[in-house]
Amino acid sequence: MNNSKPWKKYPLIASELEEVNQFVQKTIKTPHKSLQAALLQMADNGGKYLRPSLLLLAAHAVGKANKQTIKLASSIEILHMATLIHDDIIDDSDERRGNVSIQAAFGKDVAVYTGDLLFTDFFDLMLNAIDENEYLVRNAQTMRKILNGELGQMAERFNLKQTLDDYLGDIKGKTAALFRLAAEEGAHFAGGNIDQSNALAQFGENLGIAFQIVDDILDYSGGKQLNKPTLEDLATGVYSLPLLLALNQPALRDKLLPLLNKKRQMTLADMQKVQSILLDSTVIDDSRKLARQYAQKAIDNLAIFKPNPAVLLLKKLPNTLLTRSF
C-alpha cells in the first residue's frame, strides 16, 4: 500500500490506514475494466492519505479508532479523489499523482461520470457509517462548502482586484472544509465531547488553510517534485496568495500587469517572467509567514488536550506540512 508509507513510522495508525485502503479498493467499482484499473492506480499511487490520517489521529486523540471511523476515513478519501478528478477536468491537467489523469486517458466525458460515481461511493459509505442526522447534514454541508469554494475560485479567475479575504474564503471551502470534517468526525465518532470535537474541527480548518497556502507557494517554487505542473494555477487565471501579495505592492504590480493582462494569451515565457518577479521579491517568504500563522493556530487549537501519542503527532503535523516540498 503506497498511501500509508509516510505513516509507517507511526504504528498507531499504520494498520488502520491499511484497512482504509482495503475499503477504498473494495468500494471503487466500475464495469469499465481499464477505468477500474486507472482508479485503483490513482488510489494507490502517490496519495498521502492525509485526510484519512487526520480523521484517525483525531479519533485516537479522544479515544480510539473503530470500524465506524475506518469507514468514514475511507469515505473522505473517496470524496477527495472525486474532487481531484473534477479538478483535473476543469484545469485540463494531463497528470495526477505521477500518472496520466483520468480525463487525459479517457476523455472529459468519462472523467465527469467517474467523479460522479465516486461521489455516490462516498455517500454509500457515509450513509452506512452514520445514523445521526446531524452528521449526515454536516457531510452535505461540507460538500456544499467545497463546491462553493471551487465556484468562488472560478469566478475570480483573471480578476486583478481579488482580495486576500476572497482568497481565504475560497480555500476555506475548497480545501479546509474537508480537513475540518475529517478531524471533527474522527473525534465525534470515537466518543469525543463537544469541546473536543469543536477544537479538532478548528484544528482541521487551520491545518487545511496552511496546507493550501503551502501548495500555492509550491506552484511557483516547487519545480518537478509537484504532482502538477509548476505555474498551472497562473495559466488558468487562478491568482493565489503569492501573486495577490505581489499585486498589492505598487512596484511589483507595475511589472506584472503587462503580463497578466494577456490572460489566456500568456506564453510560457510570460509565465516564467511572472514567476521570476515573484521569486525575486519577498512574497514567497510573506506567504510562508501567513502559512506559519495558520499552522500555529492549529497547534493552539490542541491546547485543551492532555498529551497522548495521537495528540503529539497532531501537534507535529502542521510544521511537517509547512516544510514539505511536494
Side-chain angles (χ1 to χ4, degrees):
M1 174 188 170
N2 293 335
N3 301 303
S4 66
K5 282 184 179 178
W7 297 92
K8 285 296 186 183
K9 58 183 176 180
Y10 303 132
L12 187 65
I13 61 170
S15 63
E16 291 158 6
L17 283 175
E18 294 282 0
E19 289 189 64
V20 169
N21 186 63
Q22 291 170 14
F23 255 108
V24 171
Q25 300 270 348
K26 184 172 64 175
T27 302
I28 297 172
K29 298 292 183 183
T30 171
H32 193 316
K33 290 185 178 180
S34 59
L35 180 58
Q36 173 83 17
L39 280 172
L40 293 178
Q41 185 180 53
M42 179 183 178
D44 201 45
N45 186 63
K48 295 179 288 295
Y49 268 36
L50 178 57
R51 293 149 192 84
S53 298
L54 178 57
L55 189 150
L56 295 170
L57 286 173
H60 281 283
V62 303
K64 64 180 182 179
N66 51 52
K67 291 297 182 183
Q68 191 175 29
T69 56
I70 295 293
K71 288 180 181 179
L72 289 171
S74 305
S75 75
I76 276 183
E77 181 62 18
I78 289 173
L79 174 57
H80 177 52
M81 285 177 61
T83 63
L84 294 181
I85 290 174
H86 284 171
D87 282 350
D88 288 341
I89 297 166
I90 294 167
D91 296 337
D92 202 24
S93 295
D94 292 333
E95 292 187 7
R96 170 60 63 180
R97 292 180 173 174
N99 290 288
V100 177
S101 66
I102 300 295
Q103 71 96 18
F106 298 96
K108 293 183 183 294
D109 292 349
V110 172
V112 168
Y113 288 129
T114 303
D116 292 346
L117 181 63
L118 290 181
F119 280 130
T120 66
D121 289 336
F122 158 70
F123 277 112
D124 284 344
L125 264 182
M126 185 261 294
L127 290 170
N128 185 258
I130 298 176
D131 57 8
E132 297 179 32
N133 184 66
E134 177 186 354
Y135 273 85
L136 294 175
V137 171
R138 197 72 53 88
N139 275 265
Q141 289 173 335
T142 297
M143 279 196 66
R144 180 180 294 274
K145 288 177 181 177
I146 293 170
L147 294 172
N148 280 336
E150 295 286 4
L151 288 169
Q153 178 178 277
M154 184 177 292
E156 297 291 348
R157 286 190 175 190
F158 300 105
N159 181 10
L160 294 168
K161 295 181 180 180
Q162 183 182 353
T163 67
L164 180 58
D165 286 343
D166 294 329
Y167 166 80
L168 290 173
D170 290 341
I171 68 172
K172 280 182 182 179
K174 74 166 196 164
T175 300
L178 195 52
F179 278 72
R180 181 185 179 100
L181 179 68
E184 183 177 8
E185 283 193 337
H188 177 77
F189 289 101
N193 60 39
I194 292 176
D195 288 342
Q196 290 172 325
S197 297
N198 286 342
L200 279 161
Q202 288 295 325
F203 170 84
E205 179 171 287
N206 286 319
L207 183 71
I209 293 171
F211 177 90
Q212 184 59 55
I213 291 174
V214 172
D215 202 51
D216 292 338
I217 291 169
L218 291 174
D219 196 44
Y220 289 98
S221 63
K224 294 181 180 179
Q225 288 182 300
L226 284 179
N227 283 333
K228 60 177 184 176
T230 302
L231 305 181
E232 183 178 273
D233 283 349
L234 179 59
T236 56
V238 176
Y239 296 162
S240 56
L241 182 62
L243 185 56
L244 293 177
L245 293 178
L247 287 170
N248 280 332
Q249 298 183 31
L252 294 180
R253 187 180 181 89
D254 288 343
K255 293 179 181 179
L256 291 166
L257 284 183
L259 300 165
L260 298 177
N261 282 332
K262 295 181 181 182
K263 297 184 179 179
R264 294 192 184 275
Q265 278 66 54
M266 287 182 70
T267 64
L268 177 59
D270 291 331
M271 290 187 285
Q272 290 172 336
K273 179 62 175 176
V274 172
Q275 180 184 32
S276 179
I277 292 170
L278 267 57
L279 294 178
D280 288 341
S281 73
T282 64
V283 297
I284 299 298
D285 287 340
D286 294 340
S287 298
R288 289 193 186 280
K289 181 178 179 181
L290 186 59
R292 285 195 295 270
Q293 290 174 6
Y294 278 100
Q296 186 58 53
K297 286 182 181 181
I299 294 169
D300 292 343
N301 292 138
L302 300 175
I304 71 167
F305 295 96
K306 295 180 180 179
N308 70 24
V311 171
L312 294 176
L313 289 176
L314 287 170
K315 285 184 175 180
K316 292 178 180 178
L317 188 54
N319 288 325
T320 299
L321 295 183
L322 283 180
T323 56
R324 69 191 177 94
S325 58
F326 58 93

